Amino acid sequence: MGPKPIGLKILDILSIVLLLIATWMVFFYAPTEAVMGNVQRVFYFHVSTAWIGMLSFLVAAVAGIAYLVSKKTSWDIVEVSAVEIGIVFSLIAVASGSIWARPIWNTWWTWDPRLTTVTIMILIYAAYLLLRAGIDDPGRRARFGAVYAILGFLSVPLTFFSARLYRTIHPVVIGTNQPGATGAFDMTSDMRMVFFFSLFVFTLFFADLLWHRIRMGHLQERVEELKLQASEGTD
Amino acid sequence: MKSPSAELPAKKLAMRRPNPVGEFWRAMWAIVWKDMAAELRSRELLSAMLVFALTVILIFNFALDLDAKTRSTVTSGVLWVTFAFAGTLGLNRSMAMEKDRGCMDGLLLAPVDRAAIYFGKTIGNLIFMLIVEAIVLPVYSILYNTNLFNPGLILIILLGSIGYVAVGTLLAAMAVQTRTRDVLLPILLFPIAIPVFIAAVKGSTGFLQGIPMDEIMPWINLLVVYDIIFTAVAFMTFDFVVEE
């Protein structure tokens, strides 16, 4: 593995600059929402982080399938990298959602389908990391991880659907709202622009993080190999 | 005119290449039979699951103060938590048994389809779980003086158990091959089996409280969909879990 590739450097700088611009836009460009006021500004990054959470777990499941088909270690590294990033972003989405929910729903937490699903999703992928931590053999660790990443991702829509059969108060900003949703609003064109820009920036940021984490995974593997060689040399 | 010699090669060919579907069924039932026979002799799995299930119900009695008023709304929840816990115990034990005594290696060496091993173990576990449920239900009915003999409830219990055991058998095969083994299975299984619990609890409550059928149907559909998806995926991935 050579020095940091030029593409990654460009992506680094792009992510930093665009994240700063997005932050500026959220606070100064986007109009203040009429009913909820400034707290609504959390919406832009809240949805973006939640989206990255889902995207990472999708990437992990796809990498899992690719690993089982090809048995290439690099797919295993993609999978575990995506899961780690996904957990972090899902936690950020939950935290930012709580900050929004406190003034609007008058509670930090409610058992709404989306909230329930994201909690169970975090639990699934925490279990995924525990499963991997309990296996020493790298081949077995990769196989079990792949199987569990696929199973976990398949259960997420079913969990969401089953929790949705209960009534919900979570607003659906894009698409039709269910009656009884609290905190819903219509986006103005300025809001929509900031929103889609945030989504785009976070997706770019996700690609950047994933690339870094994959590189780290490969380096880890290299260290293991060198350790093995060193121990063989001393024997 | 038919000569006996013309029939002979065809017969020989049939003997050399047996019907693959028949082979599959034979291998699968052999594994189920093996589990049943071992259980009949030792009775360690069923007795542990049963005592555990009854203990859980007793704990719920004090924890939830199960009186006549609260009973009708929490019955299905208590039942499903009991089944889930007892089921984990059985799943862990049935796979650990294979692993500890080196039986799994023997099974894998046998010239049979790996899927037959998966379905054999799954059916075995399902039978154990259904036996436990068949004993817990009447005991619960007597202890709390409620009638749980409802064909709808039995359908929900069957569908829920299939989904739970289908994914549980696969995950148990994974869990026993890790360092943390017994601790890991519930952590792996419960979050993935959440749709089963939600649907089964709501469906059971629906039948016990006599809610109209069209409100229970979505839950039954959900259970059927879960059973199909997870049986199919577990069947496809089982190979990767047991290969060395």
Side-chain angles (χ1 to χ4, degrees), chain A residues 71 133-134 136 143 148 166, chain B residues 179 188 202 222 233 240 243:
Chain A
K71 292 282 159 75
D136 296 320
R143 271 187 285 121
Y148 197 70
Y166 288 90
Chain B
R179 240 183 297 118
L188 292 178
K202 292 300 275 187
L222 189 70
V233 175
F240 298 109
E243 85 181 25

Side-chain angles (χ1 to χ4, degrees), chain A residues 80 213 215-225:
Chain A
V80 69
R213 181 61 185 81
R215 263 192 86 199
M216 200 176 98
H218 282 292
L219 287 171
Q220 253 172 352
E221 205 184 9
R222 183 90 189 99
V223 169
E224 291 297 318
E225 274 171 26

Side-chain angles (χ1 to χ4, degrees), chain A residues 39-66:
Chain A
V39 72
Q40 180 269 338
R41 291 181 196 279
V42 84
F43 155 77
Y44 303 104
F45 283 12
H46 168 65
V47 178
S48 304
T49 45
W51 148 249
I52 296 306
M54 278 309 292
L55 181 68
S56 329
F57 297 139
L58 172 67
V59 169
V62 172
I65 295 171

Side-chain angles (χ1 to χ4, degrees), chain A residues 122-185:
Chain A
I122 292 170
L123 283 175
I124 288 176
Y125 291 98
Y128 168 94
L129 294 179
L130 284 174
L131 171 69
R132 289 184 73 100
I135 308 169
D136 296 320
D137 174 45
R140 180 180 292 167
R141 186 167 56 216
R143 271 187 285 121
F144 286 16
V147 170
Y148 197 70
I150 297 167
L151 280 180
F153 193 71
L154 280 175
S155 82
V156 169
L158 286 171
T159 304
F160 179 71
F161 181 74
S162 57
R164 183 146 204 185
L165 283 172
Y166 288 90
R167 204 175 290 133
T168 177
I169 63 166
H170 192 291
V172 181
V173 178
I174 300 168
T176 49
N177 241 314
Q178 276 171 315
T182 311
F185 59 95

Side-chain angles (χ1 to χ4, degrees), chain A residues 4 7-16 19 48-49 52-53 55-56 59 77-90 92 200-218:
Chain A
K4 199 161 149 184
L8 186 56
K9 278 183 194 160
I10 295 172
L11 204 56
D12 277 352
I13 295 164
L14 214 60
S15 312
I16 294 171
L19 269 174
S48 304
T49 45
I52 296 306
L55 181 68
S56 329
V59 169
I77 295 172
V78 174
E79 180 194 299
V80 69
S81 309
V83 167
E84 282 180 9
I85 297 171
I87 291 179
V88 172
F89 276 88
S90 301
I92 296 175
F200 166 74
V201 170
F202 270 85
T203 310
L204 209 68
F205 184 43
F206 165 68
D208 185 53
L209 284 177
L210 188 64
W211 195 342
H212 274 289
R213 181 61 185 81
I214 290 170
R215 263 192 86 199
M216 200 176 98
H218 282 292

Side-chain angles (χ1 to χ4, degrees), chain B:
Chain B
M1 197 183 138
K2 250 165 87 177
S3 77
S5 58
E7 271 173 38
L8 212 63
K11 224 177 188 177
K12 258 188 182 164
L13 209 72
M15 273 172 74
R16 230 179 284 135
R17 292 173 59 198
N19 177 10
V21 179
E23 277 292 278
F24 184 89
W25 280 96
R26 244 199 313 281
M28 193 178 85
W29 286 114
I31 290 166
V32 176
W33 178 243
K34 163 195 83 75
D35 276 2
M36 294 301 126
E39 185 52 34
L40 264 179
R41 276 165 211 164
S42 67
R43 294 195 190 83
E44 54 183 14
L45 199 73
L46 268 179
S47 47
M49 282 169 82
L50 264 176
V51 173
F52 184 76
L54 296 176
T55 316
V56 170
I57 289 185
L58 281 184
I59 290 173
F60 270 122
N61 178 47
F62 296 110
L64 295 178
D65 203 4
L66 285 175
D67 58 20
K69 213 164 55 187
T70 53
R71 216 184 292 142
S72 65
T73 49
V74 299
T75 294
S76 60
V78 169
L79 284 177
W80 277 101
V81 171
T82 310
F83 296 158
F85 286 175
T88 324
L89 214 64
L91 288 167
N92 241 333
R93 191 79 203 103
S94 100
M95 275 299 172
M97 219 163 59
E98 302 285 357
K99 189 75 191 159
D100 290 345
R101 298 175 197 163
C103 305
M104 204 58 187
D105 299 328
L107 279 180
L108 294 177
L109 282 175
V112 294
D113 193 345
R114 297 269 164 92
I117 301 176
Y118 167 72
F119 282 115
K121 287 306 284 184
T122 306
I123 291 172
N125 286 329
L126 184 63
I127 292 172
F128 290 140
M129 202 162 159
L130 291 177
I131 293 174
V132 170
E133 288 162 349
I135 298 173
V136 165
L137 277 184
V139 170
Y140 191 96
S141 303
I142 293 166
L143 285 180
Y144 297 105
N145 197 23
T146 46
N147 181 19
L148 293 181
F149 289 96
N150 182 324
L153 180 69
I154 290 165
L155 173 75
I156 296 271
I157 287 178
L158 184 67
L159 288 175
S161 304
I162 290 175
Y164 186 72
V165 168
V167 64
T169 305
L170 177 78
L171 293 177
M174 269 159 69
V176 293
Q177 297 182 60
T178 64
R179 240 183 297 118
T180 32
R181 44 194 313 177
D182 298 12
V183 188
L184 206 54
L185 181 64
I187 299 174
L188 292 178
L189 178 55
F190 287 172
I192 287 190
I194 288 272
V196 171
F197 295 140
I198 297 178
V201 168
K202 292 300 275 187
S204 308
T205 310
F207 277 117
L208 288 176
Q209 298 190 330
I211 286 168
M213 199 57 199
D214 60 323
E215 279 176 49
I216 306 176
M217 250 353 251
W219 301 113
I220 296 180
N221 291 340
L222 189 70
L223 282 173
V224 172
V225 168
Y226 187 96
D227 289 359
I228 293 171
I229 293 178
F230 279 88
T231 309
V233 175
F235 152 74
M236 286 190 283
T237 50
F238 186 70
D239 248 10
F240 298 109
V241 169
V242 292
E243 85 181 25
E244 283 305 315

